[in-house]
Amino acid sequence: MIITVTLNAALDLTYTVPSLTPHATHRVTEVAERPGGKGVNVARVLAALGHAVTVTGFAGGATGRTLRDHLTHTPGVTDALCAVAGATRRTLAVVDARTGDTTQLNEPGPTVTPDEWAGFLDAYDALVRGEGVAAVALCGSLPPGVPVGAYALLVRAARAAGVPVLLDTSGEPLRRGVAARPDVVKPNAEELAELTGAHEPSRATRDARRRGAHAVVASLGAEGLLAVTPEGTWRAAPPGAVRGNPTGAGDSAVAGLLSGLVEGLSWPDRLARAVALSAATVSAPTAGEYDPRVYADTLPKVTLTPA
């Protein structure tokens, strides 16, 4: 079993309009609703790959109930979210059908009380010490009220239980989390530069690893992934430009890395899977999902080079 942690879960709404124009009234041609937040997105892809996944974090209010109802209808995913008094946030993606561009609006999330945070810590500790836990993914932003060092605490708890842990966050939570020595960190180029102060990807990725992470996999957008690991350093790139909606592509890459870890794949094979899943997510008709046909076609074409 794999555990994904989404402290700031969301109900994702995607509106498609013929053309998005500022200051204008728009007629929505398509609406999609799904459970979201980075760790929930990762869980959904892992389940589609055949892995049993338990989702934890926070959920509350009417939005939280809707999110949890969606999770009960997601095969392979177990809901272990902790209830909070505040309402789970919503994220709104507006897709311009003419250009394919997406405009994203993200609510901040519920304010978590100290008692609610303490209750989550107890539940999380019980989960990571449970039988058959193969890995943990800690993903996304922190809702108001959660300590900035939360991920560092959760990394240490997973390591104490002997469970590999992947961290995907940003800002100060990333800086503190890296110092707790997670097995894998997956920042994008902007997050990596903010963490290290270096804008050259190779230098920044190596610097991030020196700060405590066992391995660092940097997402470089259309250029693919750059990984610095104990076994070597690689670049992995898709076979060509991919058109579509990039929402959730990074989460699919995390699912590829995590599934490869628990299956014992080599680092090059993990990276190829992550890039192929990311490309398939960009190409999918629904934001945040992945197209299995594109994945199967892209996987053998991913370019891997030592870096």
Side-chain angles (χ1 to χ4, degrees):
M1 179 186 71
I2 299 172
I3 298 169
T4 69
V5 176
T6 313
L7 296 177
N8 209 5
L11 184 66
D12 288 347
L13 302 171
T14 301
Y15 289 172
T16 301
V17 297
S19 179
L20 183 61
T21 305
H23 314 300
T25 299
H26 297 80
R27 189 173 297 278
V28 176
T29 58
E30 184 179 346
V31 179
E33 179 182 274
R34 63 181 176 84
K38 293 180 73 65
V40 174
N41 297 339
V42 171
R44 199 167 48 247
V45 177
L46 284 170
L49 293 171
H51 290 274
V53 192
T54 293
V55 172
T56 190
F58 296 111
T63 310
R65 289 193 294 273
T66 302
L67 183 153
R68 301 185 83 161
D69 182 61
H70 280 296
L71 287 179
T72 63
H73 296 93
T74 305
V77 175
T78 298
D79 173 8
L81 293 166
C82 297
V84 291
T88 294
R89 67 188 178 126
R90 295 161 298 183
T91 67
L92 176 62
V94 182
V95 179
D96 185 322
R98 179 177 58 86
T99 65
D101 292 337
T102 301
T103 299
Q104 191 84 16
L105 303 172
N106 296 336
E107 295 179 357
T111 298
V112 177
T113 69
D115 285 345
E116 289 168 341
W117 173 240
F120 169 79
L121 290 177
D122 289 341
Y124 173 79
D125 192 61
L127 281 173
V128 296
R129 294 182 181 279
E131 185 176 352
V133 177
V136 174
L138 307 174
C139 305
S141 61
L142 302 180
V146 171
V148 70
Y151 282 133
L153 192 61
L154 300 183
V155 168
R156 294 188 186 101
R159 289 180 57 83
V163 177
V165 57
L166 181 151
L167 177 62
D168 182 15
T169 188
S170 61
E172 186 64 13
L174 174 60
R175 189 185 71 80
R176 297 197 187 194
V178 167
R181 306 187 64 81
D183 294 88
V184 184
V185 173
K186 196 213 74 67
N188 61 31
E190 182 179 345
E191 293 161 352
L192 192 61
E194 183 181 6
L195 173 67
T196 66
H199 292 271
E200 198 286 312
S202 294
R203 177 181 176 184
T205 306
R206 288 179 170 83
D207 186 13
R209 185 164 182 254
R210 284 194 294 269
R211 290 168 183 256
H214 192 63
V216 179
V217 181
S219 177
L220 305 179
E223 297 179 18
L225 300 174
L226 171 62
V228 178
T229 80
E231 288 77 33
T233 301
W234 294 273
R235 283 184 179 266
V242 182
R243 285 186 57 82
N245 187 345
T247 302
D251 303 328
S252 291
V254 168
L257 296 171
L258 206 59
S259 61
L261 184 156
V262 302
E263 292 171 28
L265 299 184
S266 67
W267 267 106
D269 287 343
R270 297 183 208 179
L271 296 170
R273 178 181 289 182
V275 168
L277 284 170
S278 182
T281 299
V282 173
S283 302
T286 301
E289 305 296 338
Y290 86 95
D291 188 329
R293 295 167 299 178
V294 175
Y295 168 64
D297 183 61
T298 304
L299 183 58
K301 301 176 184 176
V302 173
T303 301
L304 285 157
T305 56

